[in-house]
Amino acid sequence: MSLKMKNPLTKMNVRQQLILLFLILVSPVFLLNMYANSKAEQILKEHVTNAYEELNKQNHFLINRDIDTISRIMTTIIQNPVTQSMVSDKKDVEFDRVVKYRELNTLLGNNSMGLYGGESIYYFLFVYDPNNSYPFAPSIPDIDRPNNTAKVFFYSDETKTPWIEDALNARGKGVLALIDNFGPKGDQQTLAYLRTVNSVTNGKSIVGVLVATKMDKKIEESFSTVSLPEGGELYLTDWSDRVLATTTEDMGKVLKLPHGLITNEAMEETLSAVSKDYIYVIHTKYSLKQKLVYTIPTKSLLQQISALKQVIQTISIVYSLFAIVVMMYFWRSLMNPLRKLAMFARSHEPGKPLARVPSKERNDEVGVLIYSVHNMANRINDMIHEQYTMEIKQKESQLQLLYQQINPHLLYNTLESIYWKSSLEGNMGSAEMIKELSKLMRISLSRGRELISIEEELEHAMAYTSLQQKRYEYGFSIRWDIGDDVMPYMIPKITLQPLIENAIIHGVINMGEDGEIIVSVRSEEENIIIAVEDNGYKETDYEAINRLLENEAPDTGTGYGIKNVNRRIQLHFGNGYGLHYEARVTEGTKVTVVIPKRASAGQTDQ
């Protein structure tokens, strides 16, 4: 058994369906708007991330190039004989040590490099002096006091600091380290670049540690060449994420990075991550234990795509307003007329006159529907009134027929009584005429039937012809050419009698024994063909007779005229049937009756 799927929209009225259609048409625009905004943000973040990854890589390269420049200067200082002469030698007298100290101080001062903003990179040498051979010079404990001239300090195993330990452990490689409270102003923190100074003549002998300060300012110069969106920050950190240089005030603090950013021990690596508030771009150098970090606020990126969002939102709003205007127009153009038509269909009572018939102002389907419904209502009203009138007329006709049937029955019974009395008295001529008249009356009555068998109709026609011959003593002859197969078929009663009467009156009435009437009935395919012929000699206008038969005007004559016969046949069987007049082949007139074969119900009068 197949299950028929029901359309859920049929449970909604047209207005609700239109609203649903509007929502279906508009909602994808807003969904696409949301998708486009999110996709635009995603694409922008990806493009920004890719661009800043490359920028970060180049920036890190420039920073290390500047550090390498400092490292080359430090190499020159390390290899200078003045620096190498600071190796502890017990043979030196105190004057020689003072001269060395002064020359080294001058050497370090001459290599200081000016930076943008009035700052400079200062070089300091921390000489390893385990025997305290330079008591006149400042030592490690004295570096926290303001001293604008001293560039050389001395330390021993007891006074060396952790950052000196880091430099010594690097074995000649450069190390970036944060040093607190170190000159030329003794109250500030500085990022220093450290290198161990070994003896050129004896590689195992340590001269000390060479320090280049203000490296954070040098790196900030490289930071200034990078333009990040508003709120973006740059950080140079060590491997433990301690900030070495930055564009903020967070130098020395530990930078918190997203958990997904895990650095490996690759020689060089570029990483990126997008969090709720920031985009992180990191470039690492494992050999230098450095990380260069960019933090870019996503809010600043969203400001860059705000123009695109506004365009998308404007298009969405304009489309929605346009859709609303179009829906309102069609609502007024379609829904209001349809609602009025629905109200008319619900409230209209068949037969009740219409208050107003709308004019046909619209040519679309709605206009045709409205006009057709009102026309249909008018036609139904007309049919109801016509049916009501016909029912009244039918009842009146039935009453009239009942009244008319009383007299024929009474006359028929009376004629039967007269026939039997005349027969008993021996007046056979009168008796036969009374019998024929009685037969005419009986068949004419036909128990109220409109259709009788051809056999009954022929009996009626023969009785009429016999009565007319005896009544007027006409000398014409009549010949009957009837097939037995046509007898059961139905025919409107009193069809042949008017035709035979016309043949007598207008054809053979004055011809005496020369007059002849032929009545023939034959079967032809689906029809019955009846012909009444006479050999009258009068000229007849057959075209005028046929036009009279085709004219739909009511018959103004009296009695059973040929027009009445033709109309009764067409009312029963259709306009394709009826009478047709034409000239007889030799002379006279021939009328042909065509009716369909309709089986008899088997009812006959007794």
Side-chain angles (χ1 to χ4, degrees), residues 103-113 121-123 151:
E103 290 178 351
L104 183 58
N105 221 17
T106 302
L107 174 64
L108 296 175
N110 292 336
N111 281 280
S112 296
M113 181 186 299
I121 290 181
Y122 297 96
Y123 294 94
K151 298 293 188 294

Side-chain angles (χ1 to χ4, degrees), residues 419-432:
Y419 166 72
W420 287 109
K421 186 176 181 180
S422 298
S423 298
L424 292 174
E425 292 177 351
N427 192 354
M428 296 306 297
S430 298
E432 288 298 324

